[in-house]
Amino acid sequence: NDLCSFPYVLLCHGATTAPQTYCLRAKRHAEPAGFPLTPQAARAMNAARIPASVDIKETNINEREALFLQEHLSAFKNGNDFCLAHSIYRYVPSHAVRKKYKSVLDQLRQRFPARFPSGVFGGGNATPERGRA
């Protein structure tokens, strides 16, 4: 089965010591719970995940990136990159997340139009985040 056919997935990191483990939950027919995030909730979620040792950069979070944060529980955005809280040197460029999550968000809007209205993030504009919430 193609993972893209699932409207909702959840990836979490399960261990802080070796061996590293991950958990993937995917729901094909259930409506995603807790979606979508508000801009304020996305900023708070992101800020809470940033380890204390990380130099915080000015960060914008848009709707697609907020969805990525909801699905990847170990990820946080700092500046223009997403990092993993348990491995801060691994990163995914934010432009790659926005590109991949365009179709994910479009599919969610098509399947659950009342839950995913357009304009929640100001018509797709980024929301500034400075420091920790």
Side-chain angles (χ1 to χ4, degrees), residues 22-92:
Y22 290 89
C23 171
L24 176 67
R25 295 184 186 118
K27 298 181 181 182
R28 186 183 308 263
H29 300 294
E31 186 172 329
F35 282 82
L37 281 180
T38 64
Q40 298 81 8
R43 288 193 304 270
M45 177 187 287
N46 189 64
R49 295 180 185 174
I50 300 175
S53 61
V54 172
D55 181 33
I56 299 171
K57 301 173 184 171
E58 188 166 341
T59 301
N60 296 318
I61 299 174
N62 70 22
E63 197 169 19
R64 295 177 207 167
E65 294 167 337
L67 184 57
F68 177 83
L69 288 171
Q70 283 186 277
E71 291 191 340
H72 295 80
L73 300 182
S74 297
F76 66 91
K77 187 177 180 194
N78 194 25
N80 291 320
D81 296 316
F82 284 89
C83 303
L84 301 176
H86 60 278
S87 183
I88 61 173
Y89 299 106
R90 292 184 181 180
Y91 70 93
V92 177

Side-chain angles (χ1 to χ4, degrees), residues 100-115:
K100 293 280 186 190
Y101 272 74
K102 180 185 183 320
S103 64
V104 174
L105 188 57
D106 289 346
Q107 287 176 26
L108 285 169
R109 281 199 170 113
Q110 190 173 36
R111 286 192 68 185
F112 310 106
R115 292 287 303 274

